[in-house]
Structure formats: C-alpha cells, structure tokens
C-alpha cells in the first residue's frame, strides 16, 4: 500500500511538472488540472505546497509576469484584471500588481500607441476611424475615461 501511495504522489508530481513545462500557471490552474486528472484533494494540496516551496509556482509572480506580457501586447488593465480573475488569482494580488504596472499615465500612453496603429500616416482620422479606435481600445480593456481622452487627443491632433 505504501508503495502505491508513493507511486501516486510521484504521478501527481510528474503530472504537475508536465503541466508547468511550457509556461507558468496559477495555483488555480494547476489545482483544476490535477483534479481533472483524478487526483484527490489532499494529494493536490500537498503537491501545491511542494511546488510553492520549490519556487515553481507563485500567484504573485505569475500575476506580475502576466501583466507585463499582456501590457506588451497592448492589453489594458480592465482586460488584464478580468483574465487574471478567470485564472483564479486573488483580487488583492491583481489590484496590487496592476497598481505597480499601470498608473493612469502609463495606461494613457499605451492606449495612444494602440490608437496610433489604426491611424493612416498623414491622414486626418474621420468619425469612422475614431469609432474603430474606441472599439479596439474597449476590446483591449482600457478604462472608458482613457478611451474618451485618447479619442479627444486624436481628434485634436488630426
């Protein structure tokens, strides 16, 4: 019986490591994956403790890296907050990481860069282009006030 328990623990560990092999994961993602593979709650919690001790999983680090990566892809804080919540990250961790990575000026600058991608060089943006910018920024997850500010700036610059 003891050999079987050790074998199951090793399987749980191997399964968790294979799941982490390609990219970082949140604790929630790992827990869900292991549960879907049929491992018991106690076994999963023990594995998560081990992974945390080894430094293989940290929701705080995952959150910071996810925000850095997402911001690099042009995503705004509203979308990043939603995506991280879907990955089971604690709201307090998300809030702190977003405060560290996104102040109003940073968000505005990022939104202006994204808007600039939709404006043809040397052309004055028309209402259709401004609406397209608004929809794009909304889809990327920028705050409404920032979207309106950016559209106003683009309109004045044109």
């Amino acid at each position: 019986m003891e050999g079987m328990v050790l074998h199951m623990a090793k399987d749980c560990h191997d399964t968790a490591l294979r799941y982490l092999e390609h990219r970082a994961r949140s604790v929630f993602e790992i827990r869900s994956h292991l549960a879907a593979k049929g491992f018991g709650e106690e076994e999963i919690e023990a594995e998560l403790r081990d992974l945390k001790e080894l430094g293989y999983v940290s929701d705080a680090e995952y959150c910071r890296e996810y925000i850095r990566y997402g911001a690099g892809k042009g995503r705004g804080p509203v979308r990043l907050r939603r995506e991280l919540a879907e990955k089971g990250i604690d709201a307090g961790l998300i809030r702190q990481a977003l405060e560290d990575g996104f102040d109003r000026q940073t968000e505005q600058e990022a939104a202006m860069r994204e808007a600039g991608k939709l404006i043809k060089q040397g052309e004055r943006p028309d209402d259709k282009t401004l609406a397209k910018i608004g929809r794009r920024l909304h889809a990327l997850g920028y705050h409404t006030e920032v979207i309106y500010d950016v559209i106003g700036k683009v309109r004045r610059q044109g």
Side-chain angles (χ1 to χ4, degrees):
M1 179 71 177
E2 186 176 315
M4 187 172 162
V5 170
L6 180 60
H7 178 68
M8 285 175 44
K10 184 170 174 37
D11 286 345
C12 184
H13 185 69
D14 290 344
T15 301
L17 290 179
R18 277 194 306 278
Y19 191 56
L20 285 166
E21 198 170 54
H22 301 289
R23 68 173 180 85
R25 310 279 182 167
S26 70
V27 170
F28 174 79
E29 289 176 304
I30 297 167
R31 182 180 287 118
S32 298
H33 179 75
L34 293 175
K37 294 290 184 182
F39 295 103
E41 189 175 324
E42 287 180 23
E43 191 174 15
I44 292 169
E45 293 308 315
E47 181 58 33
L48 287 169
R49 276 191 305 277
D50 291 346
L51 291 172
K52 288 175 186 176
E53 285 177 18
L54 292 168
Y56 292 165
V57 64
S58 163
D59 276 356
E61 181 63 27
Y62 178 85
C63 193
R64 284 189 296 274
E65 286 299 313
Y66 193 92
I67 289 170
R68 187 188 58 71
Y69 175 80
K73 294 289 187 181
R75 294 182 192 142
V78 175
R79 180 171 171 180
L80 291 169
R81 181 183 311 277
R82 183 184 70 243
E83 290 174 351
L84 286 164
E86 289 170 359
K87 294 179 179 297
I89 303 294
D90 175 73
L93 279 177
I94 297 170
R95 184 177 45 260
Q96 184 60 53
L98 283 171
E99 286 173 6
D100 293 345
F102 263 105
D103 60 17
R104 185 61 87 194
Q105 182 178 344
T106 305
E107 182 179 356
Q108 189 121 20
E109 290 167 358
M112 281 298 289
R113 279 192 302 277
E114 291 303 314
K117 293 176 183 179
L118 299 174
I119 300 170
K120 294 181 181 157
Q121 191 67 29
E123 286 189 22
R124 186 168 204 263
D126 58 8
D127 286 344
K128 185 177 177 181
T129 303
L130 293 173
K132 186 175 183 180
I133 290 169
R135 287 189 304 273
R136 177 74 177 140
L137 293 177
H138 181 267
L140 285 170
Y142 289 91
H143 287 102
T144 305
E145 311 84 59
V146 170
I147 295 171
Y148 283 121
D149 288 347
V150 167
I151 290 172
K153 284 181 181 180
V154 168
R155 180 176 278 138
R156 287 188 300 275
Q157 288 175 356

